[in-house]
Amino acid sequence: MAVKRALISVSNKEGIIPFAKQLTELGIEIISTGGTKRALEDAGISVISISNVTGFPEILDGRVKTLHPAIHGGILAIRSDERHQAALAEHGIRLIDLVVVNLYPFQQTIAKPDVTLAEAIENIDIGGPTMVRAAAKNYADVAIVVDPADYPTIIEELKTNGSIQAETRQKLAAKAFRHTAAYDAMIAEYLTNLTGEEYPETFTVTYTKKQSLRYGENPHQSASFYAKPLGAAFSIAQAKQLHGKELSYNNINDANAAINLVREFQEPAVAAIKHMNPCGVGVGATLLEAFTKAYEADPVSIFGGIIAVNREVDKETAERMHDIFLEIVIAPSFSDEALAILTKKKNIRLLTLDFAAADVKEKTLVSVSGGLLVQDADTYTLEDAEWNVVTKRQPTEAECEQLRFAWNVVKHVKSNAIVLAKNGMTVGVGAGQMNRVGAAKIAIEQAGEQAAGAVLASDAFFPMDDTVEAAAKAGITAIIQPGGSIRDADSIRKADEYGIAMVFTGVRHFKH
């Protein structure tokens, strides 16, 4: 496919001047418009104006300039179709062999905090996507370039072969349709959000590749990591890595679980995660105290774990962290002394994240075979719930504090979930069990002697009173759970029998 004529109209002008110069050196004629034309002319590159090609001026403040048969006929004509070629000859239309177009900066525009709807609308490109789609449709005869990263490939093939190879044109066409699809998805999401419609008849999302991963959950599974454009700032996708090797698929999942858990707390807090479940959570007056509690909660499971903290990592805490094997530490920041200590370990990953970033209401997406589950993120807190003491005994002030702590943690444990807490730390975690009393028994067994005087949080109601019975025999003094079972009365009677204080919240926190 010989290239004699190229149309260039780009918002992202990265690399466009040297690229266009090389095209002209190869004897290729360039058509351009607007800001691109001015930039090329300022660089001394000979350019033909779109208006000279169409015989029609740009109108409506530039809204209409490339939407013309002289442009789209030249792009869409099939070279081997005699009728197409006859039509071009009849109307004096010349072929366009290479289209270099990327679109108005809609994403950058709506990212501005003070953007108006009028500004957003004006940055919805019409002519650009039309040219891109036209060229991509006719990739058998036309090359479409939407990404500056592809400029070197085009020049290399033109210099080497005198043409752009069919395989390259097909790959460029696929990228072009991804480009316009992502662009349209972003516009659709923006306008849909303005209407307040949460679950429209079609759900279209777009994500940008952040990195290729060595493998997925297991070495035989391939994987990549994608980030949502303009997604939440408080996200593992937005974390800055300061040290260590690349994150793996499981690292990213665990890190996401860790940051979402630790952000539940205002006081210094540390969350240690293994396989997306907390193995130890602690709060304290200092970060060192919180880390010590998180470590002591389960010193076995924390080995090779992912740690998230909600305060700057200081020298003293770093020294304690350095004593054990940790995969990742995520924090708002690290002191210079802490960095010097932790970076002595080659493979530990150190990440920073803006813990002060405002919450953004986002949907959670879970893939199923052939489909997608979409729901609101579980941002419900105890402040949103009703605190209803259903037993004869009221919880003490100290028990209330521990119940709140345990409730914040159990929300982040895979269901069925039970958490035991004492003195601002988890002492037992029962996760992912098929029945609730089974989860309770695991948590109690893990806690051992620490269960005596601890409190218990359950992510959902007790279907029977057996969990209360098990808790009482272990010495647990207070329970928090949603309530709502048809046999709540049995659990309340059992709690009263043992002198346990029990609080209903009316809210469950299933996590599957």
Side-chain angles (χ1 to χ4, degrees):
M1 189 203 83
V3 176
K4 298 179 180 179
R5 216 172 189 217
L7 189 158
I8 302 179
S9 180
V10 292
S11 290
N12 177 6
K13 294 180 176 55
E14 175 192 345
I16 197 61
I17 300 301
F19 178 62
K21 282 183 177 178
Q22 290 178 88
L23 291 179
T24 57
E25 289 168 3
L26 291 166
I28 296 169
E29 189 175 70
I30 296 176
I31 305 166
S32 192
T33 181
T36 305
K37 177 177 175 290
R38 288 191 295 274
L40 297 179
E41 288 177 332
D42 289 345
I45 298 169
S46 178
V47 179
I48 299 171
S49 170
I50 282 280
S51 296
N52 290 340
V53 174
T54 63
F56 202 91
E58 296 181 13
I59 62 171
L60 306 182
D61 298 320
R63 282 191 169 198
V64 178
K65 50 195 173 189
T66 61
L67 298 169
H68 194 281
I71 299 301
H72 290 278
I75 295 172
L76 282 164
I78 298 172
R79 280 26 175 195
S80 61
D81 190 315
E82 293 181 0
R83 294 174 302 165
H84 283 201
Q85 297 310 309
L88 295 189
E90 179 184 352
H91 297 287
I93 297 173
R94 290 180 58 194
L95 294 172
I96 296 172
D97 309 302
L98 173 63
V99 175
V100 184
V101 171
N102 51 57
L103 311 178
Y104 290 174
F106 183 79
Q107 178 181 333
Q108 295 90 324
T109 300
I110 63 173
K112 298 174 184 176
D114 57 348
V115 65
T116 65
L117 177 58
E119 287 177 293
I121 295 297
E122 280 307 305
N123 278 276
I124 296 176
D125 203 331
I126 302 301
T130 306
M131 288 188 291
V132 169
R133 289 173 59 83
K137 175 177 178 173
N138 201 26
Y139 73 85
D141 292 317
V142 178
I144 172 64
V145 182
V146 297
D147 184 355
D150 292 317
Y151 295 166
T153 299
I154 297 297
I155 296 300
E156 181 182 354
E157 290 199 8
L158 288 172
K159 287 182 175 179
T160 304
N161 307 307
S163 63
I164 301 169
Q165 301 302 294
E167 182 182 1
T168 301
R169 296 197 305 273
Q170 187 177 53
K171 288 180 178 178
L172 291 171
K175 179 182 277 193
F177 280 119
R178 293 195 299 270
H179 185 62
T180 57
Y183 192 77
D184 285 342
M186 199 169 300
I187 295 168
E189 181 181 26
Y190 174 77
L191 293 176
T192 299
N193 287 342
L194 289 181
T195 69
E197 192 166 5
E198 288 197 276
Y199 300 101
E201 72 288 347
T202 59
F203 185 77
T204 306
V205 293
T206 184
Y207 287 80
T208 303
K209 188 174 181 180
K210 184 176 175 70
Q211 71 182 84
S212 295
L213 302 175
R214 287 171 293 152
Y215 53 82
E217 278 185 289
N218 300 290
H220 60 274
Q221 295 169 271
S222 63
S224 281
F225 183 29
Y226 288 81
K228 189 177 190 294
L230 305 182
F234 186 77
S235 159
I236 193 64
Q238 302 301 322
K240 180 181 179 183
Q241 187 166 348
L242 305 181
H243 177 76
K245 58 186 179 181
E246 280 192 345
L247 300 179
S248 71
Y249 181 100
N250 293 329
N251 290 157
I252 293 166
N253 255 334
D254 285 343
N256 180 64
I259 63 174
N260 286 324
L261 196 165
V262 82
R263 208 184 190 200
E264 296 279 356
F265 301 99
Q266 299 302 314
E267 65 270 50
V270 174
I273 300 292
K274 285 293 285 289
H275 304 298
M276 294 182 67
N277 276 308
C279 59
V281 182
V283 296
T286 66
L287 189 64
L288 177 60
E289 181 186 351
F291 177 78
T292 301
K293 289 179 178 179
Y295 170 76
E296 292 178 351
D298 189 345
V300 175
S301 298
I302 199 173
F303 183 85
I306 278 72
I307 303 292
V309 308
N310 63 357
R311 295 291 191 277
E312 179 176 88
V313 178
D314 53 28
K315 176 176 178 288
E316 293 74 22
T317 307
E319 287 172 339
R320 287 297 309 274
M321 289 178 173
H322 187 266
D323 291 339
I324 61 175
F325 168 53
L326 298 173
E327 288 274 8
I328 301 173
V329 180
I330 312 166
S333 57
F334 296 80
S335 71
D336 292 340
E337 297 90 344
L339 270 179
I341 293 166
L342 293 173
T343 53
K344 290 176 183 177
K345 291 191 172 183
K346 179 181 177 182
N347 290 329
I348 189 171
R349 289 89 153 182
L350 305 178
L351 282 73
T352 58
L353 188 59
D354 182 7
F355 276 65
D359 287 321
V360 176
K361 185 180 179 182
E362 288 192 330
K363 302 292 185 185
T364 63
L365 314 179
V366 177
S367 63
V368 296
S369 295
L372 188 71
L373 290 169
V374 182
Q375 68 170 351
D376 286 335
D378 186 2
T379 58
Y380 212 90
T381 68
L382 269 179
E383 283 65 39
D384 303 311
E386 292 184 13
W387 181 278
N388 182 22
V389 180
V390 294
T391 49
K392 294 175 182 176
R393 186 171 81 78
Q394 295 280 328
T396 65
E397 186 175 337
E399 286 173 332
C400 286
E401 183 178 349
Q402 298 309 306
L403 288 170
R404 290 187 176 92
F405 170 83
W407 187 248
N408 282 337
V409 175
V410 80
K411 171 182 173 182
H412 297 271
V413 180
K414 296 286 188 179
S415 303
N416 286 317
I418 296 290
V419 168
L420 306 187
K422 188 177 183 179
N423 299 324
M425 62 185 282
T426 55
V427 294
V429 178
Q433 297 306 299
M434 287 64 73
N435 60 73
R436 193 151 301 280
V437 70
K441 288 176 179 178
I442 290 171
I444 290 167
E445 181 181 357
Q446 182 190 7
E449 294 180 356
Q450 288 274 60
V455 303
L456 180 151
S458 174
D459 66 330
F461 64 61
F462 300 151
M464 292 180 283
D465 63 6
D466 49 3
T467 300
V468 179
E469 179 83 30
K473 289 180 178 178
I476 289 162
T477 64
I479 293 173
I480 186 167
Q481 59 134 318
S485 168
I486 59 173
R487 301 185 65 174
D488 275 347
D490 294 346
S491 294
I492 294 169
R493 275 195 300 270
K494 186 66 68 174
D496 283 336
E497 179 184 331
Y498 286 100
I500 293 174
M502 188 156 64
V503 176
F504 281 5
T505 64
V507 178
R508 81 176 188 197
H509 286 298
F510 272 159
K511 185 176 177 64
H512 292 97

